[in-house]
Amino acid sequence: MDLKVNDYTTDDGITVINVEGEIDVYTAPKLREKLIDLVNKGKFHLLVDMEKVEFLDSTGLGVLVGGLKRVRAHDGSLELVCTQERILKIFRITGLTKVFGIHDSLEDAQEKRKGQK
Amino acid sequence: MAVVELAFSALPVHVRTARLIVTAVARRSGVAETLLDEVRLAVGEACSRAVESHQRYCPEEPVRLELTGGKSRFEVIVSDTVPDDGVAGGPPAAPSSGEPGWDELGAGEGAADLGLAVIAGLADEVEIAQTPKGMQIKMSWPVEES
């Protein structure tokens, strides 16, 4: 299955990236290009919705870490929406649950963001 | 003891095909449904690592897999033909993405090492051997009694 990547920006300035499909060594470059493109357009607060991601490997993790590095250079953020145990397991094995903010839903992420302001 | 062998060109697009085949053979061999995700991911990681190494050093050589379904274990061996390609101190098999910032973000030495860490975390048993011909990653999982 090909990777589908779409984005939109909410009223409170978060750019939500909906990702659907498998993120692996073949498809990860598409997500990387999207993240780089958004940062180049000045979008520094990113929320990657991974609820429709069917597969994620270390190449995909690398792309997310690279995106986080890029937005942090602009005092931005890159957080995730994910409740799928099969995907969360990869973040736990690699210790990346300590690196990414991981939320249950878009609304949950927005609420926590408001609370931090 | 059933054996399935697979060789594919060192292209990222074929890694998904390898994952699908391995998952199908694992299911047929009696690996529990709850473990199939782990088989799929661990073998995918091993294949991705091999493809990246081949693309760097020997793109014309195929990546090889050997799948063996025994009475008690399902075993997968992923072999590359890149001698001494990282684990034993040679040039690192870094991802082509060249993503920055792994160390400062606490993710280890790089995505290639992270891939091996994922394999170690998912495979029930794993052996990584560097031979003069290349690296072999042997992974296995238990098979349910039929």
Side-chain angles (χ1 to χ4, degrees):
Chain A
M1 182 180 183
D2 285 339
L3 188 70
K4 294 179 182 173
V5 183
N6 298 299
D7 69 278
Y8 64 94
T9 301
T10 63
D11 293 341
D12 52 356
I14 299 174
T15 300
V16 180
I17 303 152
N18 289 315
V19 187
E20 183 176 348
E22 300 189 340
I23 309 174
D24 68 0
V25 67
Y26 178 58
T27 60
K30 187 172 182 177
L31 177 58
R32 184 173 64 249
E33 286 166 16
K34 171 61 76 176
L35 296 177
I36 291 172
D37 182 52
L38 290 170
V39 171
N40 288 342
K41 288 177 177 171
K43 309 286 188 185
F44 303 136
H45 292 284
L46 308 180
L47 184 64
V48 182
D49 187 342
M50 305 189 66
E51 290 297 78
K52 292 183 178 174
V53 172
E54 296 168 5
F55 182 86
L56 174 72
D57 70 5
S58 63
T59 316
L61 291 176
V63 168
L64 293 171
V65 170
L68 180 59
K69 164 88 172 169
R70 287 186 173 88
V71 294
R72 279 189 177 175
H74 299 277
D75 294 323
S77 61
L78 189 155
E79 300 192 337
L80 311 172
V81 172
C82 183
T83 59
Q84 294 189 78
E85 184 55 33
R86 62 160 64 164
I87 303 296
L88 291 170
K89 188 173 187 175
I90 312 306
F91 286 95
R92 279 199 288 270
I93 286 173
T94 54
L96 289 174
T97 47
K98 296 173 185 169
V99 175
F100 290 102
I102 301 177
H103 305 280
D104 290 341
S105 65
L106 173 59
E107 293 73 25
D108 178 43
Q110 287 176 313
E111 283 300 314
K112 284 182 180 164
R113 182 174 161 80
K114 282 176 188 171
Q116 289 171 354
K117 280 185 177 177
Chain B
M1 182 176 291
V3 177
V4 174
E5 291 184 332
L6 172 67
F8 63 90
S9 302
L11 296 171
V13 70
H14 295 321
V15 172
R16 180 171 185 262
T17 306
R19 286 200 307 266
L20 292 171
I21 292 171
V22 168
T23 306
V25 177
R27 180 179 282 119
R28 182 173 286 275
S29 299
V31 175
E33 287 289 327
T34 52
L35 293 178
L36 290 179
D37 261 346
E38 299 182 3
V39 173
R40 186 167 72 126
L41 181 54
V43 174
E45 290 287 355
C47 290
S48 297
R49 195 210 62 79
V51 165
E52 285 168 356
S53 292
H54 274 224
Q55 287 197 325
R56 184 167 291 202
Y57 299 108
C58 52
E60 70 287 351
E61 293 290 329
V63 173
R64 297 184 185 281
L65 282 80
E66 186 177 309
L67 320 176
T68 307
K71 285 185 178 176
S72 60
R73 309 285 298 175
F74 172 68
E75 183 179 278
V76 182
I77 300 174
V78 179
S79 305
D80 69 39
T81 51
V82 181
D84 202 26
D85 71 341
V87 168
S96 55
S97 58
E99 290 295 347
W102 283 94
D103 289 345
E104 62 196 85
L105 290 167
E109 294 180 4
D113 293 334
L114 197 70
L116 291 176
V118 170
I119 293 168
L122 292 175
D124 189 57
E125 288 182 6
V126 59
E127 293 174 29
I128 300 174
Q130 187 70 50
T131 72
K133 291 181 179 178
M135 184 185 283
Q136 272 197 351
I137 300 179
K138 183 189 292 186
M139 300 157 277
S140 71
W141 290 265
V143 168
E144 289 183 323
E145 296 289 332
S146 57

